[in-house]
């Protein structure tokens, strides 16, 4: 058997809904898709799956006794990780606050939403296009994943990519062609005079 240096994770990152034609849920999902510029409902399901895993961890810790070593050991890192991603505020320090998390709080932390809120894009769909076309960086790293969850410390480092035409990089193909046409037209006028 050949040596494989990496393993591919084939596990699904989302869970489909139990009742596919429930009207209230369909309307709510459609509203979320429009509000946050999502490509499909699977993106909502992925966030809901992530939220359910976090809530399940909090529920299992809440079932333990207050002095249980497992609860004492696992609660602070869980809360710290959620604070790092901006899902909990600084004054929210309990497991009950984790159970109050919603899908919208997760959606607000996506890179696509942050790019729009920082006025780097004209609209939410435009923010998605800018990210996919590699015009946005977080720190020094170009990120082309719209669902990237932005940490609170990297939030102030979201900017246009250095090599992007929007970020003082080389002009795009159409801009270069128009500049060449203007130069040729300007040069042609000099020859006629």
């Amino acid at each position: 058997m050949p040596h494989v240096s990496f393993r591919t994770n084939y596990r699904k990152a989302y869970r489909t809904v139990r009742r596919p034609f429930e009207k209230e849920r369909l309307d709510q999902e459609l509203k979320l898709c429009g509000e946050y510029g999502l490509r499909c409902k699977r993106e909502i399901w992925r966030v809901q799956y992530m939220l359910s895993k976090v809530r399940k961890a909090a529920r299992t810790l809440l079932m333990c006794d207050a002095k249980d070593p497992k609860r004492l050991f696992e609660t602070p890192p869980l809360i710290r990780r959620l604070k790092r991603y901006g899902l909990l505020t600084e004054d929210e320090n309990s497991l009950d606050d984790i159970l109050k998390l919603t899908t919208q709080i997760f959606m607000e932390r996506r890179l696509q939403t942050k790019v729009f809120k920082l006025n780097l894009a004209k609209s939410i769909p435009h923010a998605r296009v800018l990210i996919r076309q590699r015009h946005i960086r977080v720190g020094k790293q170009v990120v082309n994943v719209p669902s990237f969850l932005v940490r609170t410390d990297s939030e102030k480092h979201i900017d246009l990519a250095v090599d992007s035409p929007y970020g003082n990089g080389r002009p795009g193909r159409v801009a270069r062609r128009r500049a060449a046409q203007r130069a040729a037209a300007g040069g042609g006028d000099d020859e006629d005079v």
Side-chain angles (χ1 to χ4, degrees):
M1 186 171 163
H3 174 69
V4 180
S5 61
F6 60 90
R7 297 257 175 173
T8 308
N9 185 4
Y10 292 107
R11 188 176 300 137
K12 282 167 69 168
Y14 65 96
R15 194 168 42 217
T16 55
V17 293
R18 286 184 182 167
R19 297 181 178 177
F21 302 110
E22 195 176 15
K23 183 159 178 33
E24 294 82 28
R25 185 191 49 76
L26 285 171
D27 293 340
Q28 185 183 10
E29 284 178 352
L30 195 62
K31 186 177 170 221
L32 274 177
C33 275
E35 187 180 345
Y36 293 103
L38 306 178
R39 185 176 62 88
C40 58
K41 293 186 177 177
R42 190 185 306 141
E43 293 190 331
I44 297 174
W45 299 340
R46 191 170 59 214
V47 168
Q48 286 173 343
Y49 187 49
M50 202 184 328
L51 175 64
S52 72
K53 286 201 281 191
V54 168
R55 288 171 52 94
K56 183 179 180 183
R59 275 198 317 271
T60 54
L61 290 173
L62 272 171
M63 283 191 287
C64 298
D65 188 45
K67 300 287 184 198
D68 187 28
K70 177 182 167 114
R71 181 170 174 174
L72 293 173
F73 185 71
E74 291 182 11
T75 302
L78 179 64
I79 291 173
R80 189 169 52 243
R81 190 171 75 224
L82 292 173
K83 281 184 180 179
R84 188 183 302 143
Y85 280 103
L87 300 168
L88 291 178
T89 58
E90 288 301 319
D91 55 325
E92 295 175 329
N93 289 320
S94 69
L95 291 170
D96 292 322
D97 294 324
I98 296 176
L99 295 178
K100 293 176 188 169
L101 288 174
T102 61
T103 310
Q104 283 84 356
I105 294 173
F106 274 83
M107 292 292 189
E108 288 293 329
R109 299 304 306 170
R110 297 174 86 235
L111 180 61
Q112 181 179 357
T113 312
K114 289 293 171 191
V115 167
F116 175 63
K117 296 275 171 83
L118 290 170
N119 293 325
L120 293 172
K122 297 174 188 147
S123 64
I124 288 270
H126 184 230
R128 189 179 188 96
V129 170
L130 286 179
I131 294 166
R132 286 299 299 157
Q133 293 178 353
R134 301 175 58 85
H135 293 298
I136 302 294
R137 66 186 164 97
V138 179
K140 293 181 181 177
Q141 182 71 42
V142 173
V143 181
N144 67 341
V145 181
S147 62
F148 177 80
L149 283 183
V150 181
R151 293 182 175 189
T152 48
D153 54 348
S154 6
E155 193 172 348
K156 54 186 167 284
H157 300 297
I158 299 173
D159 201 9
L160 293 167
V162 179
D163 57 346
S164 162
Y166 297 113
N168 301 328
R170 181 178 177 216
R173 176 180 58 85
V174 177
R176 287 196 309 268
R177 190 174 70 202
R178 285 188 182 147
Q181 287 173 348
R182 268 190 249 114
D189 291 342
D190 294 340
E191 292 172 7
D192 292 338
V193 176

PDB file of all heavy atoms in Angstrom, residues 78-98:
ATOM      1  N   LEU A  78     -13.641  26.211  26.759  1.00  0.00           N
ATOM      2  CA  LEU A  78     -14.790  26.356  25.861  1.00  0.00           C
ATOM      3  C   LEU A  78     -15.241  27.809  25.804  1.00  0.00           C
ATOM      4  O   LEU A  78     -15.442  28.376  24.713  1.00  0.00           O
ATOM      5  CB  LEU A  78     -15.932  25.447  26.327  1.00  0.00           C
ATOM      6  CG  LEU A  78     -17.225  25.488  25.519  1.00  0.00           C
ATOM      7  CD1 LEU A  78     -16.987  25.000  24.104  1.00  0.00           C
ATOM      8  CD2 LEU A  78     -18.290  24.652  26.196  1.00  0.00           C
ATOM      9  N   ILE A  79     -15.357  28.436  26.966  1.00  0.00           N
ATOM     10  CA  ILE A  79     -15.779  29.840  27.019  1.00  0.00           C
ATOM     11  C   ILE A  79     -14.718  30.741  26.389  1.00  0.00           C
ATOM     12  O   ILE A  79     -15.039  31.678  25.647  1.00  0.00           O
ATOM     13  CB  ILE A  79     -16.073  30.255  28.476  1.00  0.00           C
ATOM     14  CG1 ILE A  79     -17.333  29.523  28.958  1.00  0.00           C
ATOM     15  CG2 ILE A  79     -16.244  31.758  28.605  1.00  0.00           C
ATOM     16  CD1 ILE A  79     -17.636  29.706  30.417  1.00  0.00           C
ATOM     17  N   ARG A  80     -13.436  30.439  26.643  1.00  0.00           N
ATOM     18  CA  ARG A  80     -12.349  31.237  26.076  1.00  0.00           C
ATOM     19  C   ARG A  80     -12.354  31.166  24.551  1.00  0.00           C
ATOM     20  O   ARG A  80     -12.154  32.166  23.853  1.00  0.00           O
ATOM     21  CB  ARG A  80     -11.016  30.759  26.644  1.00  0.00           C
ATOM     22  CG  ARG A  80      -9.841  31.650  26.285  1.00  0.00           C
ATOM     23  CD  ARG A  80      -8.596  31.319  27.072  1.00  0.00           C
ATOM     24  NE  ARG A  80      -8.233  29.902  27.020  1.00  0.00           N
ATOM     25  CZ  ARG A  80      -8.199  29.104  28.077  1.00  0.00           C
ATOM     26  NH1 ARG A  80      -8.504  29.556  29.276  1.00  0.00           N
ATOM     27  NH2 ARG A  80      -7.857  27.834  27.952  1.00  0.00           N
ATOM     28  N   ARG A  81     -12.600  29.959  24.009  1.00  0.00           N
ATOM     29  CA  ARG A  81     -12.614  29.801  22.550  1.00  0.00           C
ATOM     30  C   ARG A  81     -13.770  30.574  21.922  1.00  0.00           C
ATOM     31  O   ARG A  81     -13.607  31.229  20.888  1.00  0.00           O
ATOM     32  CB  ARG A  81     -12.727  28.313  22.197  1.00  0.00           C
ATOM     33  CG  ARG A  81     -12.507  28.041  20.726  1.00  0.00           C
ATOM     34  CD  ARG A  81     -12.412  26.573  20.446  1.00  0.00           C
ATOM     35  NE  ARG A  81     -13.733  25.957  20.516  1.00  0.00           N
ATOM     36  CZ  ARG A  81     -13.998  24.815  21.105  1.00  0.00           C
ATOM     37  NH1 ARG A  81     -13.046  24.138  21.714  1.00  0.00           N
ATOM     38  NH2 ARG A  81     -15.213  24.313  21.111  1.00  0.00           N
ATOM     39  N   LEU A  82     -14.934  30.545  22.566  1.00  0.00           N
ATOM     40  CA  LEU A  82     -16.081  31.276  22.032  1.00  0.00           C
ATOM     41  C   LEU A  82     -15.878  32.787  22.140  1.00  0.00           C
ATOM     42  O   LEU A  82     -16.328  33.536  21.272  1.00  0.00           O
ATOM     43  CB  LEU A  82     -17.356  30.850  22.760  1.00  0.00           C
ATOM     44  CG  LEU A  82     -17.799  29.409  22.489  1.00  0.00           C
ATOM     45  CD1 LEU A  82     -18.966  29.039  23.379  1.00  0.00           C
ATOM     46  CD2 LEU A  82     -18.147  29.198  21.035  1.00  0.00           C
ATOM     47  N   LYS A  83     -15.181  33.230  23.188  1.00  0.00           N
ATOM     48  CA  LYS A  83     -14.874  34.661  23.309  1.00  0.00           C
ATOM     49  C   LYS A  83     -13.868  35.093  22.252  1.00  0.00           C
ATOM     50  O   LYS A  83     -13.943  36.204  21.729  1.00  0.00           O
ATOM     51  CB  LYS A  83     -14.319  34.968  24.698  1.00  0.00           C
ATOM     52  CG  LYS A  83     -15.373  35.061  25.757  1.00  0.00           C
ATOM     53  CD  LYS A  83     -14.750  35.460  27.067  1.00  0.00           C
ATOM     54  CE  LYS A  83     -15.820  35.541  28.131  1.00  0.00           C
ATOM     55  NZ  LYS A  83     -15.263  35.910  29.421  1.00  0.00           N
ATOM     56  N   ARG A  84     -12.917  34.209  21.946  1.00  0.00           N
ATOM     57  CA  ARG A  84     -11.900  34.530  20.946  1.00  0.00           C
ATOM     58  C   ARG A  84     -12.534  34.776  19.576  1.00  0.00           C
ATOM     59  O   ARG A  84     -12.090  35.616  18.810  1.00  0.00           O
ATOM     60  CB  ARG A  84     -10.888  33.393  20.857  1.00  0.00           C
ATOM     61  CG  ARG A  84      -9.698  33.714  19.984  1.00  0.00           C
ATOM     62  CD  ARG A  84      -8.757  32.560  19.855  1.00  0.00           C
ATOM     63  NE  ARG A  84      -8.257  32.101  21.138  1.00  0.00           N
ATOM     64  CZ  ARG A  84      -8.043  30.827  21.449  1.00  0.00           C
ATOM     65  NH1 ARG A  84      -8.303  29.870  20.577  1.00  0.00           N
ATOM     66  NH2 ARG A  84      -7.566  30.496  22.613  1.00  0.00           N
ATOM     67  N   TYR A  85     -13.600  34.040  19.287  1.00  0.00           N
ATOM     68  CA  TYR A  85     -14.300  34.222  18.018  1.00  0.00           C
ATOM     69  C   TYR A  85     -15.386  35.282  18.088  1.00  0.00           C
ATOM     70  O   TYR A  85     -16.106  35.496  17.114  1.00  0.00           O
ATOM     71  CB  TYR A  85     -14.900  32.889  17.553  1.00  0.00           C
ATOM     72  CG  TYR A  85     -13.874  32.003  16.909  1.00  0.00           C
ATOM     73  CD1 TYR A  85     -13.325  30.928  17.590  1.00  0.00           C
ATOM     74  CD2 TYR A  85     -13.421  32.252  15.613  1.00  0.00           C
ATOM     75  CE1 TYR A  85     -12.366  30.131  17.003  1.00  0.00           C
ATOM     76  CE2 TYR A  85     -12.465  31.457  15.026  1.00  0.00           C
ATOM     77  CZ  TYR A  85     -11.949  30.392  15.725  1.00  0.00           C
ATOM     78  OH  TYR A  85     -10.990  29.613  15.138  1.00  0.00           O
ATOM     79  N   GLY A  86     -15.539  35.927  19.235  1.00  0.00           N
ATOM     80  CA  GLY A  86     -16.510  37.000  19.366  1.00  0.00           C
ATOM     81  C   GLY A  86     -17.934  36.510  19.490  1.00  0.00           C
ATOM     82  O   GLY A  86     -18.870  37.288  19.305  1.00  0.00           O
ATOM     83  N   LEU A  87     -18.126  35.235  19.798  1.00  0.00           N
ATOM     84  CA  LEU A  87     -19.475  34.693  19.936  1.00  0.00           C
ATOM     85  C   LEU A  87     -20.050  34.987  21.318  1.00  0.00           C
ATOM     86  O   LEU A  87     -21.261  35.047  21.488  1.00  0.00           O
ATOM     87  CB  LEU A  87     -19.461  33.180  19.674  1.00  0.00           C
ATOM     88  CG  LEU A  87     -18.959  32.808  18.273  1.00  0.00           C
ATOM     89  CD1 LEU A  87     -18.695  31.327  18.186  1.00  0.00           C
ATOM     90  CD2 LEU A  87     -19.952  33.227  17.218  1.00  0.00           C
ATOM     91  N   LEU A  88     -19.174  35.169  22.290  1.00  0.00           N
ATOM     92  CA  LEU A  88     -19.578  35.593  23.629  1.00  0.00           C
ATOM     93  C   LEU A  88     -18.904  36.918  23.942  1.00  0.00           C
ATOM     94  O   LEU A  88     -17.769  37.153  23.530  1.00  0.00           O
ATOM     95  CB  LEU A  88     -19.155  34.557  24.686  1.00  0.00           C
ATOM     96  CG  LEU A  88     -19.861  33.204  24.695  1.00  0.00           C
ATOM     97  CD1 LEU A  88     -19.261  32.320  25.764  1.00  0.00           C
ATOM     98  CD2 LEU A  88     -21.342  33.357  24.917  1.00  0.00           C
ATOM     99  N   THR A  89     -19.601  37.783  24.682  1.00  0.00           N
ATOM    100  CA  THR A  89     -18.984  39.053  25.081  1.00  0.00           C
ATOM    101  C   THR A  89     -18.125  38.825  26.316  1.00  0.00           C
ATOM    102  O   THR A  89     -18.122  37.736  26.894  1.00  0.00           O
ATOM    103  CB  THR A  89     -20.074  40.103  25.389  1.00  0.00           C
ATOM    104  OG1 THR A  89     -20.923  39.589  26.414  1.00  0.00           O
ATOM    105  CG2 THR A  89     -20.893  40.416  24.154  1.00  0.00           C
ATOM    106  N   GLU A  90     -17.401  39.841  26.726  1.00  0.00           N
ATOM    107  CA  GLU A  90     -16.473  39.704  27.849  1.00  0.00           C
ATOM    108  C   GLU A  90     -17.175  39.422  29.177  1.00  0.00           C
ATOM    109  O   GLU A  90     -16.619  38.775  30.043  1.00  0.00           O
ATOM    110  CB  GLU A  90     -15.622  40.978  27.985  1.00  0.00           C
ATOM    111  CG  GLU A  90     -14.577  41.129  26.896  1.00  0.00           C
ATOM    112  CD  GLU A  90     -13.604  39.956  26.847  1.00  0.00           C
ATOM    113  OE1 GLU A  90     -13.184  39.480  27.912  1.00  0.00           O
ATOM    114  OE2 GLU A  90     -13.282  39.513  25.740  1.00  0.00           O
ATOM    115  N   ASP A  91     -18.415  39.930  29.348  1.00  0.00           N
ATOM    116  CA  ASP A  91     -19.106  39.716  30.619  1.00  0.00           C
ATOM    117  C   ASP A  91     -19.908  38.416  30.650  1.00  0.00           C
ATOM    118  O   ASP A  91     -20.485  38.079  31.684  1.00  0.00           O
ATOM    119  CB  ASP A  91     -20.014  40.911  30.939  1.00  0.00           C
ATOM    120  CG  ASP A  91     -20.987  41.194  29.812  1.00  0.00           C
ATOM    121  OD1 ASP A  91     -20.609  41.013  28.651  1.00  0.00           O
ATOM    122  OD2 ASP A  91     -22.132  41.599  30.109  1.00  0.00           O
ATOM    123  N   GLU A  92     -19.975  37.682  29.559  1.00  0.00           N
ATOM    124  CA  GLU A  92     -20.675  36.395  29.532  1.00  0.00           C
ATOM    125  C   GLU A  92     -19.676  35.291  29.872  1.00  0.00           C
ATOM    126  O   GLU A  92     -18.796  34.980  29.073  1.00  0.00           O
ATOM    127  CB  GLU A  92     -21.311  36.153  28.160  1.00  0.00           C
ATOM    128  CG  GLU A  92     -22.413  37.134  27.833  1.00  0.00           C
ATOM    129  CD  GLU A  92     -22.956  36.960  26.433  1.00  0.00           C
ATOM    130  OE1 GLU A  92     -22.202  36.559  25.532  1.00  0.00           O
ATOM    131  OE2 GLU A  92     -24.142  37.255  26.242  1.00  0.00           O
ATOM    132  N   ASN A  93     -19.808  34.724  31.047  1.00  0.00           N
ATOM    133  CA  ASN A  93     -18.821  33.756  31.528  1.00  0.00           C
ATOM    134  C   ASN A  93     -19.421  32.433  31.975  1.00  0.00           C
ATOM    135  O   ASN A  93     -18.730  31.629  32.583  1.00  0.00           O
ATOM    136  CB  ASN A  93     -18.034  34.345  32.713  1.00  0.00           C
ATOM    137  CG  ASN A  93     -17.101  35.432  32.266  1.00  0.00           C
ATOM    138  OD1 ASN A  93     -16.471  35.327  31.217  1.00  0.00           O
ATOM    139  ND2 ASN A  93     -17.024  36.500  33.032  1.00  0.00           N
ATOM    140  N   SER A  94     -20.687  32.185  31.665  1.00  0.00           N
ATOM    141  CA  SER A  94     -21.302  30.954  32.175  1.00  0.00           C
ATOM    142  C   SER A  94     -21.718  30.036  31.034  1.00  0.00           C
ATOM    143  O   SER A  94     -21.800  30.447  29.873  1.00  0.00           O
ATOM    144  CB  SER A  94     -22.524  31.296  33.036  1.00  0.00           C
ATOM    145  OG  SER A  94     -23.547  31.811  32.223  1.00  0.00           O
ATOM    146  N   LEU A  95     -22.001  28.811  31.388  1.00  0.00           N
ATOM    147  CA  LEU A  95     -22.473  27.840  30.404  1.00  0.00           C
ATOM    148  C   LEU A  95     -23.878  28.180  29.929  1.00  0.00           C
ATOM    149  O   LEU A  95     -24.249  27.841  28.802  1.00  0.00           O
ATOM    150  CB  LEU A  95     -22.443  26.434  31.017  1.00  0.00           C
ATOM    151  CG  LEU A  95     -21.052  25.861  31.279  1.00  0.00           C
ATOM    152  CD1 LEU A  95     -21.138  24.598  32.093  1.00  0.00           C
ATOM    153  CD2 LEU A  95     -20.321  25.599  29.976  1.00  0.00           C
ATOM    154  N   ASP A  96     -24.648  28.867  30.764  1.00  0.00           N
ATOM    155  CA  ASP A  96     -25.995  29.278  30.347  1.00  0.00           C
ATOM    156  C   ASP A  96     -25.929  30.280  29.201  1.00  0.00           C
ATOM    157  O   ASP A  96     -26.807  30.309  28.342  1.00  0.00           O
ATOM    158  CB  ASP A  96     -26.746  29.894  31.534  1.00  0.00           C
ATOM    159  CG  ASP A  96     -27.055  28.855  32.598  1.00  0.00           C
ATOM    160  OD1 ASP A  96     -27.376  27.716  32.222  1.00  0.00           O
ATOM    161  OD2 ASP A  96     -26.950  29.179  33.797  1.00  0.00           O
ATOM    162  N   ASP A  97     -24.885  31.111  29.183  1.00  0.00           N
ATOM    163  CA  ASP A  97     -24.722  32.067  28.089  1.00  0.00           C
ATOM    164  C   ASP A  97     -24.432  31.342  26.771  1.00  0.00           C
ATOM    165  O   ASP A  97     -24.817  31.822  25.699  1.00  0.00           O
ATOM    166  CB  ASP A  97     -23.593  33.049  28.405  1.00  0.00           C
ATOM    167  CG  ASP A  97     -23.929  33.935  29.594  1.00  0.00           C
ATOM    168  OD1 ASP A  97     -25.111  34.295  29.738  1.00  0.00           O
ATOM    169  OD2 ASP A  97     -23.011  34.246  30.371  1.00  0.00           O
ATOM    170  N   ILE A  98     -23.755  30.201  26.844  1.00  0.00           N
ATOM    171  CA  ILE A  98     -23.487  29.423  25.632  1.00  0.00           C
ATOM    172  C   ILE A  98     -24.792  28.884  25.067  1.00  0.00           C
ATOM    173  O   ILE A  98     -24.985  28.846  23.848  1.00  0.00           O
ATOM    174  CB  ILE A  98     -22.503  28.271  25.937  1.00  0.00           C
ATOM    175  CG1 ILE A  98     -21.158  28.841  26.372  1.00  0.00           C
ATOM    176  CG2 ILE A  98     -22.328  27.364  24.736  1.00  0.00           C
ATOM    177  CD1 ILE A  98     -20.152  27.804  26.795  1.00  0.00           C
TER     178      ILE A  98
END
